Amino acid sequence: MKNNLLIGAIIFLSVFAASAQKYISGSNLPYHNPTPGEITIMAVSPLPDGLQPSPQAFQELVDCGFNLTTSQGSVAYFNNIFNMLGDMNLKFLISNPNFITKDVRQSYISAFKDNPHLGGWLLKDEPLFRTWPELSQQYKLFFQEDTNKFIYVNLFGNISNNIPGVKNMSEYAEIFQKMFTPACFSYDFYPIITRNKKTSVEYDQFYSDLEDFSSVSQKNNRPFWTFCESIAYTTEGYSRPTPTEAYFRFQAYNALAYGAQGIVYWSYGMRKSSGGENFQSALVDLKGKRSKAWYAAQKVNNQIKKFNNVFLECDVKEVRHTGDKIYKGTHKLSGSIGPFSMVRTGAAGVVVSRIENNGEKYIVIVNRDVTKKQKITLELLANKKVIDLTSNNQQQYSGITDFNVTLDKSDWAIFKEI
């Protein structure tokens, strides 16, 4: 039985690879940042189920720190919304299930291609693998029809039931690369989960996915986006807990340390329970009232915006891990990194990322512990100076010096060489 499944998977992949071959171009499609000059922070479902659009609702979205959102609707619906937005710093990825039809695509392009609130087009979220060859044709045709806008496809974060025979996200991302030559890689995986009343973090898949997508992103010189879970729900066998500031930091800060250029929150607006998923809370409830998590997301988003110059279009040189557990796909820090001769941490460990941007050099350190603070001891190499950009007074250190930094739950420290 197992051999038959393996043979079937090989045939399945061979057929699709051959079918996709005619759609492969020599280089990746261009990336048009939907939020020019900024790291993208996108809210899925900007309005709760049943709530009508209003200027106030969209202003609150902006106030929470989002610069991009996505929604589905008619041309008339988006004309109405874009008139509401005025000069708000908010762009939309417009979605329509019929974008696979040329006439539908062109009607929206004609209506909105010059509208300043159009960030791009959402072609498909979590497409099944069997649809990839046809979808890749539509994806590239869409680019030909609107060469100046971003066209977005988001992938499953869990491939176990999606592609038979594919063992890991690295293979998954490489197949997507070959079929689509995409402008951007994007996937969703939510690492914080509750089973049998116990909440845990699925560290291995979370970090191995970041490693894989960061690698394929750098290899093809195209950005990648990841997700933050921002809606609590229960379903058969597990649940997602109410998000906290620490949970948001863990998902977003780690992604940025790996070079992500987009952070997507699912979901901003509360949804009505359906299909076996019992939704409990989101950033705003069904009446549009802000939850505690809204303010947590606002704090994290403001932090991301504060360090836009560090992360936007950055070059990640290396990412290393410390701690008692070195998770699947990651690399242990051994010895020096950047200006530091030593980084000593507790058992939970940290992520240490060496980043360069516009001639400046940075070290980003993220606490891997979502429940506890962690003290970090750092030692500078001779003749090195750094400034802690995340300290209240931007503390400077120089010389062969040991110093300590305490990171809150899932928090970060960002050092710049001076």
Side-chain angles (χ1 to χ4, degrees):
M1 179 67 174
K2 187 177 290 185
N3 288 337
N4 289 339
L5 286 173
L6 180 58
I7 292 169
I10 292 170
I11 293 172
F12 182 76
L13 287 171
S14 299
V15 169
F16 273 104
S19 177
Q21 200 67 38
K22 61 184 176 181
Y23 312 132
I24 298 173
S25 64
S27 60
N28 282 58
L29 294 168
Y31 177 65
H32 300 294
N33 184 355
T35 59
E38 295 182 307
I39 289 286
T40 297
I41 310 175
M42 183 166 86
V44 176
S45 300
L47 299 169
D49 282 352
L51 196 70
Q52 293 302 306
S54 69
Q56 179 184 354
F58 292 123
Q59 184 60 57
E60 289 192 359
L61 194 72
V62 173
D63 291 344
C64 196
F66 294 100
N67 52 21
L68 182 70
T69 189
T70 182
S71 188
Q72 182 177 312
S74 66
V75 168
Y77 177 80
F78 282 107
N79 269 322
N80 180 44
I81 285 178
F82 289 171
N83 286 334
M84 288 182 186
L85 295 180
D87 60 357
M88 289 185 205
N89 181 30
L90 182 65
K91 296 184 183 293
F92 269 76
L93 293 185
I94 294 179
S95 173
N96 187 303
N98 296 315
F99 273 160
I100 58 173
T101 304
K102 182 177 181 179
D103 288 347
V104 173
R105 290 197 303 270
Q106 292 189 340
S107 67
Y108 279 80
I109 292 170
S110 176
F112 300 117
K113 65 179 181 180
D114 297 322
N115 193 294
H117 291 295
L118 177 66
W121 313 98
L122 194 164
L123 180 58
K124 190 66 176 177
D125 180 37
E126 296 185 335
L128 296 175
F129 181 61
R130 65 175 179 267
T131 69
W132 281 19
E134 181 181 358
L135 187 66
S136 68
Q137 289 186 77
Q138 305 303 327
Y139 183 71
K140 293 174 183 180
L141 285 171
F142 216 148
F143 264 103
Q144 292 174 16
E145 293 160 5
D146 191 354
T147 58
N148 296 315
K149 286 293 186 291
F150 176 53
I151 294 118
Y152 181 53
V153 173
N154 177 60
L155 301 178
F156 280 101
N158 188 332
I159 62 171
S160 59
N161 296 313
N162 192 27
I163 309 181
V166 174
K167 299 186 293 294
N168 53 50
M169 292 295 278
S170 180
E171 292 183 9
Y172 180 58
E174 287 294 346
I175 293 171
F176 184 71
Q177 162 62 26
K178 288 177 181 178
M179 286 195 183
F180 285 76
T181 57
C184 175
F185 298 90
S186 178
Y187 71 99
D188 53 55
F189 173 69
Y190 308 115
I192 301 166
I193 192 166
T194 301
R195 291 190 179 95
N196 300 318
K197 299 182 179 180
K198 182 179 180 181
T199 299
S200 62
V201 180
E202 296 182 317
Y203 284 105
D204 278 316
Q205 184 171 348
F206 177 70
Y207 282 121
S208 65
D209 288 355
L210 282 174
E211 290 278 348
D212 289 341
F213 275 91
S214 179
S215 176
V216 75
S217 169
Q218 291 180 51
K219 179 180 176 181
N220 294 285
N221 194 29
R222 288 297 178 271
F224 77 100
W225 292 11
T226 64
F227 276 60
C228 280
E229 181 255 316
S230 56
I231 187 168
Y233 65 93
T234 61
T235 189
E236 185 176 358
Y238 69 92
S239 62
R240 299 291 179 190
T242 301
T244 65
E245 185 180 336
Y247 291 172
F248 289 147
R249 286 197 299 249
F250 180 80
Q251 294 169 93
Y253 291 0
N254 275 289
L256 291 166
Y258 272 89
Q261 296 296 291
I263 303 296
V264 184
Y265 285 72
W266 181 81
S267 161
Y268 178 85
M270 182 61 173
R271 299 184 171 200
K272 294 177 181 178
S273 298
S274 64
E277 292 178 322
N278 179 25
F279 295 108
Q280 298 166 325
S281 67
L283 299 191
V284 295
D285 66 18
L286 289 174
K287 295 182 179 179
K289 183 180 178 181
R290 303 176 187 183
S291 69
K292 185 177 179 180
W294 187 97
Y295 295 94
Q298 183 188 48
K299 287 183 66 176
V300 172
N301 291 342
N302 285 341
Q303 275 285 297
I304 295 171
K305 289 173 178 287
K306 181 179 179 181
F307 297 107
N308 191 72
N309 66 309
V310 175
F311 296 107
L312 181 66
E313 299 178 0
C314 69
D315 185 7
V316 177
K317 295 298 185 180
E318 60 179 321
V319 181
R320 295 292 182 265
H321 288 244
T322 72
D324 287 357
K325 180 73 181 291
I326 301 303
Y327 296 106
K328 178 182 175 182
T330 64
H331 306 276
K332 183 179 179 63
L333 176 62
S334 300
S336 63
I337 184 167
F340 295 110
S341 60
M342 179 271 294
V343 179
R344 185 167 61 245
T345 69
V350 298
V351 170
V352 186
S353 176
R354 185 164 65 89
I355 287 175
E356 294 183 7
N357 202 336
N358 288 322
E360 304 290 356
K361 297 179 180 181
Y362 304 93
I363 295 290
V364 179
I365 301 176
V366 183
N367 182 6
R368 300 193 312 189
D369 198 327
V370 300
T371 61
K372 296 178 183 176
K373 295 181 179 181
Q374 188 174 182
K375 186 174 82 170
I376 316 299
T377 301
L378 301 147
E379 182 179 289
L380 277 166
L381 290 164
N383 302 318
K384 291 292 184 179
K385 296 181 180 181
V386 296
I387 180 171
D388 182 355
L389 300 178
T390 45
S391 64
N392 290 332
N393 57 355
Q394 297 207 342
Q395 180 68 45
Q396 295 187 29
Y397 303 93
S398 61
I400 304 176
T401 306
D402 285 358
F403 63 93
N404 295 322
V405 174
T406 298
L407 297 182
D408 201 355
K409 296 173 285 188
S410 307
D411 210 352
W412 61 11
I414 301 174
F415 296 94
K416 176 183 175 182
E417 289 192 45
I418 55 175

